[in-house]
Amino acid sequence: MNPLTPAEMVGAIGQAAQAAARTDAPLDDFQRSQLLSAYSATRHLAVELESYPAAVAAFCAGLADRIDARPAAELPGEVAGTAAQLRVTTDPRDAGEVVSALLNLLRAHPSPAAAALRGETQAALRDLCDREVDLLADALERR
Amino acid sequence: MIAIASRTEAVEAALREAGELEPGDEVRDVEQLPGGWSRHSFVAHAALGDGDQRRYIVRVKPTGALLDTDLALEYRVYAALAGTGLPAPRVYAFVASDDTPFDGPFIVMEHVDGTAPNMYSRPDQARLADDWAGPRTIAADMVEHLARIHGLQGDELPADLPELDFDAVVARWRSVYEERHLVRDPVIEEAFEWVAGRAPREPWPGLVHGDYRIGNTLIAGGRVRAILDWELVHRGDVRFDLGYLAMPRAAGKHLRAHSPLMGTFADQEWFLERYAQLTGRHVDAEVLRTFQMLGIMMLLATQLTAVWMYAHGRTTDVRMAWSRFSFAGLRQDMTRLMGW
């Protein structure tokens, strides 16, 4: 659910490398810090490209199952399409849009079923956040 | 080279007009320092007529700065701090024009000897842990200075400081999310709902530094020699600074925490107890959680803005694009604060 796509990040890294390569004078501390940030970005991005799609797919499928398991009559009508949307979502940014809209609906609905599904959605998001951190930390802290 | 030459001339002219440089003194070069997000920092080297050398810090608000804060007010805050006994660099000159060789208005201030600890650096964390395990002078300075900041009286600082109560702070950072997010984030949106419903019943009004952390200090000889980065200073609920220091991020957590110390320099219970001794105010644990979330909101606002600026071609600074990688750890901290 992070802003900027991986492709946009690749472009940003490339621009930083190009700017450094075109500098005639020795790099100063600020310019070196730019290259180090670009290097750090490659390390994060490598994990994201390799590991996020499966994690996001599991999150979306699991949440879709939880929605389908709830009686539709006890939930806001618009929720009905959310599970189907999640089952075809592979981009984490799209998942962010769909789940944000879902939570908006659930917050505004007074039924216990909506409150319960909101809690389940939060728990699924928590697990996804922990998974994202673990994936990055495990890879980045492996020296 | 033309730009660099004109920067030295601009700094020299500002210092000369302020009476800080004598006729035989001259600024020889100006070099950009790493770090600095919404302000860019430079060091200027001056050769004095008597053969000595002196350094100055130039603090610039560049075009399209990360936070639209008032550099003129910041200058006046620094000037006012000189009379308070708090450690802060002296300021010599403020150039208000946007059309400068630095691409924006700038302040020229004293260069204070010392190092700003990097809260993510393991060696810096180890040095601060050594202070905590030993003399605790840095920890003591940090809490004593914060208590003094919070106790500064209205007539000691500029009268036009922003006043932001709890709701105004939430609204400020929420509006940044609404205006600058490139993708919707369900955790952030839930967190705004959570924090908005937790306004403390009794405000603790006072002066709020707004970005009080070890990385915004200069340390030398085991003491805090200067408190920097006052651009977010305002009158408001002083517990913001406590919550901000209590964030895992302030202890150097990017993904995983590596320092058990609050802000990397003190045990949290000790810090809050010492703060209570100095101010007579004990912060409630639940209220502290609320202000931790508010601190995260502020960080998110800056990171969202950084990414937005890069995406919209307002900057080529790759650190701004890199900011998107800081969301994972902050998102996890938010889910824990909300007890998910």
Side-chain angles (χ1 to χ4, degrees):
Chain A
M1 298 165 196
N2 300 321
L4 295 181
T5 64
E8 288 168 328
M9 277 311 299
V10 170
I13 293 161
Q15 281 193 348
Q18 183 191 48
R22 287 182 170 173
T23 301
D24 295 328
L27 299 183
D28 62 24
D29 287 348
F30 179 79
Q31 291 165 321
R32 267 192 292 278
S33 77
Q34 290 285 295
L35 281 182
L36 286 171
S37 293
Y39 165 65
S40 171
T42 65
R43 300 182 73 218
H44 285 78
L45 194 56
V47 179
E48 185 171 325
L49 288 167
E50 185 173 8
S51 310
Y52 280 20
V56 171
F59 163 78
C60 289
L63 187 54
D65 289 345
R66 287 166 194 235
I67 295 169
D68 284 343
R70 293 267 164 198
E74 297 175 22
L75 296 171
E78 301 92 323
V79 171
T82 301
Q85 278 181 285
L86 285 169
R87 291 197 191 283
V88 298
T89 297
T90 55
D91 188 310
R93 283 154 288 274
D94 293 341
E97 295 281 342
V98 172
V99 178
S100 294
L102 170 66
L103 285 167
N104 267 1
L105 290 170
L106 297 175
R107 272 198 299 271
H109 201 270
S111 74
L117 182 56
R118 184 179 171 206
E120 290 181 358
T121 306
Q122 291 171 343
L125 280 167
R126 175 202 62 213
D127 292 345
L128 180 65
C129 292
D130 288 344
R131 183 77 183 127
E132 183 179 9
V133 166
D134 285 343
L135 287 168
L136 286 166
D138 287 348
L140 298 178
E141 293 178 1
R142 200 182 306 133
R143 300 279 183 185
Chain B
M1 291 302 288
I2 292 169
I4 291 169
S6 56
R7 283 176 176 173
T8 62
E9 288 165 10
V11 174
E12 185 173 310
L15 287 169
R16 210 172 286 290
E17 191 174 327
E20 171 63 11
L21 291 184
E22 301 290 332
D25 303 339
E26 62 176 2
V27 175
R28 288 280 173 82
D29 62 67
V30 175
E31 184 182 347
Q32 186 166 7
L33 298 170
W37 287 74
S38 55
R39 302 278 189 259
H40 290 173
S41 295
F42 298 77
V43 60
H45 296 93
L48 307 184
D50 61 9
D52 278 353
Q53 297 188 342
R54 193 179 295 152
R55 286 177 289 179
Y56 297 91
I57 294 296
V58 183
R59 190 163 160 80
V60 180
K61 181 183 178 183
T63 303
L66 196 56
L67 294 169
D68 188 21
T69 49
D70 185 346
L71 189 65
L73 177 62
E74 190 180 344
Y75 174 79
R76 286 185 284 111
V77 168
Y78 273 111
L81 287 169
T84 65
L86 281 162
R90 283 175 290 169
V91 285
Y92 300 112
F94 170 57
V95 176
S97 170
D98 289 334
D99 184 20
T100 74
F102 292 99
D103 186 30
F106 64 90
I107 294 172
V108 188
M109 58 172 58
E110 177 187 14
H111 177 282
V112 177
D113 285 333
T115 305
N118 177 347
M119 60 197 184
Y120 302 108
S121 154
R122 305 286 177 89
D124 283 7
Q125 289 179 3
R127 274 190 282 276
L128 291 162
D130 286 346
D131 174 77
W132 170 249
R136 296 190 180 176
T137 48
I138 295 172
D141 282 351
M142 287 296 285
V143 67
E144 287 165 19
H145 293 326
L146 188 61
R148 289 190 70 181
I149 291 168
H150 289 173
L152 283 177
Q153 300 303 305
D155 58 357
E156 295 177 274
L157 287 160
D160 57 340
L161 280 175
E163 283 206 49
L164 297 167
D165 64 12
F166 181 87
D167 290 341
V169 174
V170 175
R172 178 184 193 180
W173 302 131
R174 189 168 198 156
S175 72
V176 173
Y177 171 77
E178 299 293 346
E179 291 166 15
R180 297 281 166 92
H181 74 262
L182 300 178
V183 291
R184 287 183 73 181
D185 189 316
V187 178
I188 296 175
E189 292 185 13
E190 283 282 286
F192 274 118
E193 294 293 324
W194 183 86
V195 81
R198 292 172 62 97
R201 269 175 288 179
E202 295 286 334
W204 286 11
L207 187 75
V208 182
H209 179 281
D211 196 7
Y212 194 78
R213 57 188 173 86
I214 198 72
N216 279 340
T217 68
L218 294 174
I219 308 288
R223 304 300 300 266
V224 175
R225 303 296 176 185
I227 301 166
L228 308 172
D229 288 358
W230 291 80
E231 68 175 286
L232 289 165
V233 66
H234 63 275
R235 297 186 202 287
D237 196 309
V238 297
R239 285 168 292 190
F240 179 87
D241 285 332
L242 296 172
Y244 191 68
L245 264 180
M247 290 186 311
R249 180 59 57 97
K253 181 205 169 198
H254 167 50
L255 295 165
R256 286 185 179 139
H258 295 287
S259 169
L261 299 176
M262 181 188 197
T264 68
F265 60 81
D267 173 76
Q268 181 167 312
E269 195 175 330
W270 176 91
F271 186 95
L272 295 176
E273 182 55 38
R274 181 72 184 124
Y275 180 85
Q277 288 170 1
L278 292 164
T279 63
R281 288 168 150 180
H282 290 264
V283 65
D284 175 81
E286 275 302 308
V287 175
L288 188 68
R289 285 206 309 152
T290 303
F291 282 95
Q292 281 180 265
M293 184 66 92
L294 214 49
I296 293 175
M297 301 299 186
M298 189 195 91
L299 284 180
L300 284 168
T302 59
Q303 307 295 281
L304 284 162
T305 302
V307 176
W308 182 91
M309 285 174 58
Y310 193 92
H312 287 79
R314 306 284 180 91
T315 178
T316 57
D317 185 341
V318 73
R319 295 173 307 159
M320 303 295 169
W322 186 96
S323 296
R324 58 144 7 231
F325 296 116
S326 71
F327 286 79
L330 292 173
R331 221 183 263 124
Q332 183 184 56
D333 295 341
M334 286 190 284
T335 67
R336 289 179 177 171
L337 279 173
M338 291 187 285
W340 286 9

